[in-house]
Amino acid sequence: MFSGFKWQASSLAIASLVLLPLIALLIISSQANMQLWQHLSSTVLPEYVRNSILLMLGVSAITLTLGVGSAWLVTQYRFPGIRFFDWALLLPLAMPAYISAYSYTGLLDVAGPIQTWLRDVFGWSVGDYWFPPIRSLSGAMLVMGCVLYPYVYLLARSAFLSQSQHFRDVAALMGYTRRQAFLRITLPIARPAVIAGLSLALMETLADYGTVAYFGVNTFTTGIFRTWFGMDSVSNAAQLALVLLGFVVVLLVIERRSRQQAQYYDKRKSSAPSPKQLYGVKRVIAVCLVSIPIALGFIVPVSQLLIWAIQSHAQLWQSEFWQLVFNTVSLATVTAVLAVALGLLVTYAVRTTQAPVTRFAKQVVSLGYAVPGTIIAVATLVPLARLDNLIDAWFRTQFNLSTGLILSGTLAALIIAYLVRFMAVALGSLDAGLQAIAPTMDQAAKSMGSTPWQVLQRVHIPMLKGSLLTALLLVFVDVMKELPATLIMRPFNFNTLAVRAYEYASDERLADASLASLAIICAGLIPVILLTKAIQRHTH
């Protein structure tokens, strides 16, 4: 069915879905109002840059401390509950940062149970005492650091496990204590993996909108919204998006360079170091230390949401909730199926042709996930709106008929934005699955007269069932959690669970946001479970 040329053309067409919006962003930003840009540059831009950098520094400190520390403890020591902590440390991956922000605000704000309890016990009044404000830059650092540390934990844990016993033998010969060996040998060797994990956490930090908007912290994402909807300037919002994209590109470069350096040379075969058994007070301390990230990143916020949901369940179980579930699930399902189908075409085109064009297309598609949803929304919606205007003008001229909005402001536009961002997620899973299938399978099928399209249908798709399901689930969950792109591009009067939770929280109806938030978290647990099983298979 498909010749080599058609495979290449198809992969290039799919890549253009990611590339064209970014090109459009460049064109739109070149048409910006320079007076407004100068105003932004002299007033709010320095604050956006300063807050974004401080947020990244704070999140870096917390994710490195929690992620590296936890990975070190579970790989180097043995203590009660080690198998539980090994996977439970991944649970915060299921928690969107903006939902954690709602929970912590309910707990720590002036009207929350902790400050209320302090006032009751000590007889204080509001204003008589100092309490760390959760709605602040430091609060955003804490919330994001506690849910994003698993990126560092995952890669640091893998790096520690892959290190040979020979490194420990060298440390012993040099007279190092266990702590000195960690600081001088183990950690420097694991540094590329740690930096790669940190880069992923920081890209999520830059992409976040829900947390910083709720806490009133002015960063690039809030600035893009404010410039677009508050100042009614799409082109200047596009300029801010380009500056934000510059931060993302820097992180991508750092992450790629870290991967290139993540090669260690130990030519002698050696087993991994044996973990040290802890006894007495030391194992109690170890259990407490690895419990802290799980409690802060998952147990505390989920417990607060559960309490709210139980207290107000009668009001929450309304018909609107089921409509939100239907909207979210149907949108996520359609996007997941399309993303997997397009991702499979790109990965299979690379396998079939090995042409530079298909490899280029694959690289372009894989960049989509690094671009924040806010940027993709700007880059997608504006060209579609202008295309709508062109179509409308042509119909008015030719037939005296107005077509209105055909693409922008519709679910089709929203799904295109999702595909631009999340096709990379499907691509990664499918690529790993295809690489596990030996090329001899293709050669055997072709020798029996099958075309590449028939080989894909009859050989690869049946063998890729696991990878296809994983890719579907990953895209499905990411779409459920996505907030900025949905907020900007959803059709009028169309809501999802994420948007409704954000709207309730913005109106200070935190209890009403609990059920939608819990539904998103439950869906987010699916990839965590898959990831845990994959790690256990790899470890054992």
Side-chain angles (χ1 to χ4, degrees):
M1 180 178 176
F2 268 31
S3 65
F5 172 76
K6 288 181 179 176
W7 283 112
Q8 294 177 41
S10 301
S11 60
L12 206 56
I14 295 168
S16 66
L17 197 66
V18 179
L19 202 56
L20 288 179
L22 298 180
I23 294 173
L25 189 69
L26 285 170
I27 297 171
I28 298 163
S29 64
S30 67
Q31 301 165 354
N33 180 335
M34 293 314 295
Q35 284 186 336
L36 180 57
W37 177 249
Q38 287 171 358
H39 170 72
L40 291 172
S41 303
S42 59
T43 54
V44 292
L45 187 59
E47 186 185 9
Y48 296 158
V49 174
R50 183 177 64 249
N51 284 347
S52 297
I53 291 175
L54 287 175
L55 187 62
M56 290 166 68
L57 290 175
V59 171
S60 299
I62 295 171
T63 52
L64 286 175
T65 303
L66 298 181
V68 176
S70 303
W72 171 249
L73 285 170
V74 299
T75 55
Q76 301 299 313
Y77 297 99
R78 284 289 170 265
F79 46 84
I82 185 73
R83 290 178 65 84
F84 164 76
F85 290 117
D86 200 20
W87 68 264
L89 282 161
L90 296 174
L91 285 175
L93 277 178
M95 174 70 69
Y98 57 88
I99 290 177
S100 186
Y102 307 154
S103 296
Y104 274 107
T105 301
L107 274 174
L108 302 175
D109 221 355
V110 175
I114 293 179
Q115 290 203 51
T116 302
W117 177 79
L118 287 173
R119 289 195 296 271
D120 291 343
V121 170
F122 296 103
W124 296 336
S125 299
V126 176
D128 290 347
Y129 60 96
W130 178 85
F131 195 85
I134 185 64
R135 294 193 185 201
S136 61
L137 181 60
S138 55
M141 292 174 188
L142 176 68
V143 167
M144 288 192 198
C146 288
V147 299
L148 296 177
Y149 80 83
Y151 288 108
V152 177
Y153 165 77
L154 263 176
L155 295 182
R157 177 187 177 281
S158 177
F160 292 152
L161 283 174
S162 66
Q163 290 183 12
S164 161
Q165 176 65 33
H166 295 142
F167 296 128
R168 184 170 291 181
D169 295 340
V170 170
L173 284 173
M174 298 176 72
Y176 289 167
T177 62
R178 208 172 181 91
R179 185 174 65 85
Q180 289 172 325
F182 170 69
L183 293 174
R184 298 183 182 182
I185 296 179
T186 307
L187 188 57
I189 292 174
R191 188 180 58 189
V194 172
I195 291 175
L198 180 62
S199 303
L200 294 174
L202 293 182
M203 278 191 265
E204 291 286 338
T205 303
L206 284 174
D208 177 85
Y209 172 74
T211 310
V212 290
Y214 187 63
F215 282 176
V217 179
N218 294 325
T219 62
F220 276 107
T221 51
T222 56
I224 291 168
F225 269 79
R226 197 168 296 160
T227 306
W228 189 349
F229 298 106
M231 299 181 176
D232 196 24
S233 176
V234 176
S235 52
N236 288 101
Q239 279 190 321
L240 284 175
L242 274 182
V243 180
L244 175 58
L245 194 58
F247 278 77
V248 175
V249 169
V250 170
L251 289 174
L252 275 175
V253 171
I254 293 172
E255 194 266 344
R256 293 290 161 91
R257 287 177 66 100
S258 300
R259 284 174 186 266
Q260 287 172 357
Q261 295 170 15
Q263 298 176 10
Y264 315 114
Y265 300 99
D266 180 21
K267 295 181 179 177
R268 296 172 296 173
K269 295 290 183 185
S270 172
S271 59
S274 301
K276 182 182 178 181
Q277 183 69 45
L278 295 179
Y279 298 99
V281 178
K282 287 184 178 179
R283 67 178 184 177
V284 175
I285 293 173
V287 169
C288 292
L289 287 176
V290 293
S291 299
I292 289 172
I294 304 169
L296 293 176
F298 190 79
I299 295 175
V300 172
V302 168
S303 301
Q304 178 61 69
L305 290 171
L306 284 171
I307 291 170
W308 281 333
I310 292 169
Q311 288 175 343
S312 52
H313 68 279
Q315 293 82 14
L316 297 177
W317 292 102
Q318 301 169 354
S319 58
E320 190 206 18
F321 174 75
W322 296 111
Q323 182 62 48
L324 292 172
V325 170
F326 175 78
N327 289 349
T328 308
V329 170
S330 55
L331 198 57
T333 302
V334 171
T335 307
V337 170
L338 288 174
V340 170
L342 297 178
L344 184 61
L345 275 177
V346 173
T347 50
Y348 192 67
V350 175
R351 183 183 178 96
T352 303
T353 66
Q354 290 296 325
V357 170
T358 55
R359 288 199 293 271
F360 169 75
K362 184 181 167 188
Q363 290 293 324
V364 170
V365 172
S366 64
L367 287 175
Y369 192 66
V371 184
T374 318
I375 296 177
I376 290 175
V378 176
T380 307
L381 190 57
V382 175
L384 289 179
R386 296 194 177 179
L387 182 60
D388 275 343
N389 288 333
L390 287 174
I391 294 171
D392 185 61
W394 188 82
F395 268 86
R396 281 175 184 273
T397 306
Q398 299 296 324
F399 307 106
N400 195 25
L401 180 69
S402 173
T403 58
L405 299 177
I406 299 173
L407 296 170
S408 53
T410 65
L411 286 176
L414 184 56
I415 290 173
I416 290 172
Y418 285 153
L419 289 175
V420 173
R421 180 153 163 73
F422 298 126
M423 249 196 307
V425 178
L427 197 72
S429 175
L430 296 170
D431 193 37
L434 273 176
Q435 285 184 15
I437 300 174
T440 51
M441 299 290 291
D442 303 47
Q443 294 163 7
K446 287 175 184 173
S447 68
M448 297 172 71
S450 299
T451 64
W453 182 256
Q454 290 170 331
V455 176
L456 175 65
Q457 286 181 298
R458 298 173 184 174
V459 178
H460 290 106
I461 289 180
M463 295 181 74
L464 281 172
K465 281 180 182 173
S467 300
L468 288 167
L469 180 62
T470 303
L472 279 169
L473 285 173
L474 290 175
V475 177
F476 181 88
V477 173
D478 273 331
V479 171
M480 281 194 74
K481 293 195 291 186
E482 173 63 27
L483 178 62
T486 316
L487 210 54
I488 293 175
M489 302 191 67
R490 68 198 161 106
F492 177 72
N493 211 20
F494 179 90
N495 279 328
T496 64
L497 289 167
V499 171
R500 179 55 83 196
Y502 171 78
E503 288 177 342
Y504 278 141
S506 300
D507 293 339
E508 299 304 324
R509 296 170 61 185
L510 293 175
D512 292 340
S514 59
L515 201 57
S517 302
L518 284 171
I520 296 170
I521 295 168
C522 287
L525 285 173
I526 297 172
V528 174
I529 294 168
L530 290 174
L531 190 60
T532 304
K533 287 186 176 180
I535 290 172
Q536 287 173 344
R537 280 198 300 271
H538 178 73
T539 304
H540 300 294

